[in-house]
Amino acid sequence: LTRRRWEWDMKKIRSRRLPDDVAIFLTDSLGELPDNVQRALFILSCFGASSKSAFVESQGLDRNILKNLEIAVVEGFVDKINDQYRFAHDRIQEASYNSIPAHRRCVIHFKYGLELSSLLIGDEDTSASVLFTAVNQLNLGGPPAVDDESHNFTAARLNLRAGKKAMEMSDYETAYSYFDSGISFLRKKHWQEHYTLSVELFTLAAKCALTNGDHTSLKLLIAEVVVKAHFFENKLDVLYFETCALAYSYRLAESIEKGLDILSKLGI
């Protein structure tokens, strides 16, 4: 007031969401944008409501993506705040995402996941966010998007890695979802062709199921390992989880009996 004029807080103005009627107008106008800008918006929509410009540029999914996103910013479809691109409204994101048919989106998600996973090769210290982003893209594609059998193994292995990382963060629900997705990528003869990977995925999924209190999934996972694992030592962990589940369910006598049976098979 001392300056006798209005002062605008531009950060707050930019951070406000668009009114629905404006969002509807912009959504209807998406098709009028140049094809390259529409593609850039679709790529952005595949990664959620927003992404940092450095992350978008580093992925190499489109050489001119930042240039095209800047056009989208000028046209009002996207906001750029603190070096982060964000859709001006969730309806715009939804329309951009749905501009590609569902079956094609699955293939594109999986392709993006493979391209991002190349950043992880030989680098166990790559940030968790890159790992999770790559694996989430693979999982959004899902097994139907796979056209090369070797990619089944890649997706399953990366889900195992992401699940372990989530366990390190004590996020057992997310970890279970990664292990479960990894299992879904395994092919029919996986117990013969990828034995160690199969044991790890099923065993760690069982551990997470126990921690999450998902006893139905736990029983199924235990049964699979008990039947398919080649060596008794590979069954020990899930058998231990079974005794724990019995104890947690106040079936102490059965838990003790199961524990004694395990010990006898170990010669103890």
Side-chain angles (χ1 to χ4, degrees), residues 145-157:
V146 180
D147 61 2
D148 182 331
E149 290 187 11
S150 67
H151 292 161
N152 286 87
F153 172 73
T154 298
R157 180 176 52 80

Side-chain angles (χ1 to χ4, degrees), residues 41-68:
L41 289 173
F42 171 72
I43 293 174
L44 183 64
S45 74
C46 287
F47 294 91
S50 64
S51 288
K52 291 184 178 180
S53 59
F55 174 79
V56 173
E57 186 177 33
S58 69
Q59 309 318 310
L61 302 175
D62 185 331
R63 288 183 180 180
N64 298 314
I65 187 170
L66 292 186
K67 175 184 174 182
N68 291 319

Side-chain angles (χ1 to χ4, degrees), residues 176 205-206 209 214-222:
Y176 177 81
D214 183 357
H215 294 287
T216 300
S217 297
L218 177 62
K219 287 180 181 179
L220 294 173
L221 292 163
I222 290 172

